[in-house]
Amino acid sequence: MAEPAAGGRGPGAAVSLAAGVVGVGALFLPWLAVARYGTISVAAWVFHLVVGALLVTALGARAEPARTPQPGLLAVALRAVPRYYLLGVSVGQAVVASVAGGFLATAAGVSASWAVFALAVLVPAAASGATGRRGPEWTPYAMLAVIVVVAAIAATGGGIAAGPSSVTGAGKAAFVMLFAFVGWEGAARLRGTRAGLLLAGAGLVGLVYVGLALFAAGAAGRAGAGEPGLPFPLAPFGHDALGRGVAAVAGVVCAVACARNFALVKVLGGAEFPRLKSPMWMVVPAAAAASGVLLLDAGWVRLEDLLSVPNAMALAVFGTAAAGAFATGRPATRLAAGAALLGYALLVPFAGLALAWPAAVLLATALTRYLRRNRGAPHQLRRL
């Protein structure tokens, strides 16, 4: 999962937005979507580009929000957003580490041992993340540049076998792709930026993702079903020395992203729950991610199953951000916010049981809020 990069309100805002969105997903999701849901998955990328452009316009291209009182449920949902991140990013590292392990194992010529490499990535990534330091501010921009170059090399390579296309498959693909678009909500930190710059940033994201999706769909069937030994498809680089070298670079990029994401988990955990400020608590998210890798290696889950947790959290974050912009924004921005909210609502049926995760977080947040407000009234607590 990517995260919002630091940015400003000038021309750099477009690149800042793109750097906050484009991440590890660019190195495997275009090919995963084609393999599982067919070439119609390209339409799902376009859907996310349109809805995301509406969301960033509503969040960023507006002045200070109107002083409208927030409804009770919306206030609880906004309070739950950091906790959505905390759970989603923690579980999401099982995916990032697996992808890193897949690339590194492919580079070493032992793709069947991808899980060993994934676990080898998790341990130092979690240890680095326990410090809470995420590196210099320019890191997301450097990663964006490397990801674009690496993905462009993959686009000129082979293809994979495409799955059957259907309307339902397009919806499922759109839900799976949520992983690649975390960072749209970072436009809220660019408030006051001209709409043209925000749309330019969304256009850069679309240029990368839709471009890769078109290449992956166009190359479908040109080669086999993917790298032998891997339970999920990755960007194809070939098996020559150059291909293995690029795969190694992709693996390192994913490992760096994993370490940065664990640092985000450390910061969020300490901010939300003061008792979790100790670096030792990072054993918990690291163990959760390692469990996901082992389940995937054992064949008990698919990569899409692991993606469902962070994706459900991302859907909750996007929906909450759109609802907040609609409820508190000025009339000129409510149309875009409402359209974005409707767009994300269309993905709810494809989330399935994964929606239980954000629902549980929302319920726990509401209960905690209630208990804190009534801490001085024991008779109220006895009614629960």
Side-chain angles (χ1 to χ4, degrees):
M1 300 176 80
E3 81 292 335
R9 298 182 181 180
V15 179
S16 174
L17 181 62
V21 176
V22 177
V24 173
L27 299 177
F28 75 98
L29 275 174
W31 293 270
L32 176 68
V34 169
R36 300 286 195 260
Y37 309 109
T39 55
I40 197 174
S41 60
V42 174
W45 290 103
V46 176
F47 166 84
H48 273 294
L49 177 60
V50 173
V51 178
L54 290 168
L55 180 63
V56 300
T57 300
L59 291 177
R62 63 191 179 102
E64 289 298 317
R67 302 301 178 185
T68 305
Q70 297 174 356
L73 180 60
L74 178 57
V76 173
L78 290 171
R79 180 66 185 85
V81 166
R83 301 177 184 187
Y84 293 148
Y85 272 115
L86 184 59
L87 181 56
V89 176
S90 296
V91 178
Q93 297 327 292
V95 176
V96 177
S98 295
V99 173
F103 280 125
L104 294 174
T106 299
V110 288
S111 56
S113 301
W114 68 269
V116 176
F117 284 85
L119 294 175
V121 165
L122 272 176
V123 174
S128 174
T131 64
R133 293 192 292 267
R134 312 190 66 232
E137 289 187 357
W138 51 262
T139 304
Y141 301 97
M143 292 181 65
L144 172 64
V146 175
I147 287 172
V148 169
V149 172
V150 169
I153 294 174
T156 63
I160 57 173
S165 294
S166 66
V167 176
T168 301
K172 293 179 179 179
F175 177 70
V176 168
M177 291 169 189
L178 282 164
F179 185 85
F181 290 96
V182 174
W184 282 141
E185 71 284 357
R189 298 200 297 130
L190 302 175
R191 183 175 299 155
T193 302
R194 287 183 297 166
L197 291 175
L198 294 171
L199 292 177
L204 290 175
V205 174
L207 184 64
V208 175
Y209 283 148
V210 177
L212 290 174
L214 289 173
F215 277 113
R222 187 185 301 170
E227 182 68 25
L230 291 181
F232 46 85
L234 296 174
F237 298 115
H239 296 88
D240 56 3
L242 176 61
R244 290 188 176 184
V246 177
V249 172
V252 171
V253 169
C254 294
V256 172
C258 190
R260 284 173 51 80
N261 289 339
F262 270 124
L264 179 62
V265 170
K266 172 64 171 60
V267 173
L268 287 175
E272 286 298 303
F273 307 100
R275 295 181 180 179
L276 300 183
K277 288 185 177 181
S278 170
M280 293 303 298
W281 94 272
M282 289 299 294
V283 173
V284 176
S291 299
V293 171
L294 294 175
L295 289 173
L296 183 60
D297 185 46
W300 291 356
V301 298
R302 298 202 305 172
L303 194 66
E304 299 93 305
D305 299 321
L306 295 179
L307 282 167
S308 67
V309 178
N311 286 352
M313 296 301 174
L315 186 58
V317 169
F318 292 157
T320 301
F326 181 83
T328 65
R330 300 187 181 280
T333 65
R334 291 187 175 183
L335 180 60
L341 183 60
L342 178 60
Y344 289 119
L346 295 176
L347 300 184
V348 170
F350 301 101
L353 295 177
L355 285 178
W357 293 103
V361 171
L362 184 63
L363 180 61
T365 302
L367 181 60
T368 303
R369 189 171 186 241
Y370 177 85
L371 291 174
R372 286 177 177 175
R373 285 190 170 186
N374 295 275
R375 185 175 297 172
H379 64 283
Q380 292 287 348
L381 300 180
R382 288 196 294 268
R383 293 182 182 178
L384 295 178

